[in-house]
Amino acid sequence: VGSSYWNGVVTVALTTHTQSPESTKPYFFWKPAYGVNVTNAPRVKSIRFGDGYEQRFKDGIFNNLLILSLSFETLGEKEATAISHFLDEKSAVEDFFFLPPSPYERMSRFICREWQTVLTFDNNYNISATFEQVP
C-alpha cells in the first residue's frame, strides 16, 4: 500500500448471474514489453459421419479464450519483486484483471500458471509469463 509498484485492485461490473453485479479483484497493471504472443485455440466439438462429412460446433459459451505470452524487460529489483510476489500470491488459483494490448484491449480475467525470472545483470531483471484468460 502506498508503493509505486502496486496499484491495488479494480472494481468492474460483471454480467454473469453467478457473481454479484460488481466484483473487486486484483489488477495486474504492469505493461509488457513489445512482442506479445497471443494464441487463439477455439474449442470445437465435431461429429464425423461415414460419408466423410464432418459437422463442427462450439464447445461451450467461452470457447475461444486467449493465451498470452508476455515478457517484462529491464526491471529493477523492486519492480521484479512486486511482479513475482503478485503472481506468487495468486498461484494459478485466484484470477486477476489484466488489460491485454491492442487489438485484444478489453479488461478480462486471467490466471498465470507459470512465469520465469531472469537476472540479466546487477539490478536488471526480465520476467516472462503466460496468462490464460478465464471465463
Side-chain angles (χ1 to χ4, degrees), residues 42-116:
R43 289 190 329 269
V44 176
K45 290 189 176 189
S46 63
I47 301 171
R48 290 183 186 243
F49 298 97
D51 60 356
Y53 177 76
E54 179 181 57
Q55 184 175 5
R56 294 167 300 283
F57 52 94
K58 294 179 180 181
D59 182 12
I61 297 172
F62 301 103
N63 72 316
N64 191 13
L65 299 174
L66 299 175
I67 300 173
L68 306 172
S69 295
L70 307 170
S71 62
F72 304 88
E73 299 173 355
T74 63
L75 304 171
E77 182 178 358
K78 289 182 180 180
E79 191 171 19
T81 301
I83 292 172
S84 294
H85 179 72
F86 181 94
L87 297 175
D88 188 50
E89 284 292 310
K90 306 307 164 246
S91 295
V93 174
E94 184 182 343
D95 59 273
F96 53 87
F97 284 113
F98 177 66
L99 183 64
S102 182
Y104 305 99
E105 200 168 13
R106 192 178 94 216
M107 185 74 72
S108 300
R109 297 176 347 165
F110 289 86
I111 59 170
C112 181
R113 294 185 196 273
E114 67 177 330
W115 63 96
Q116 294 178 330

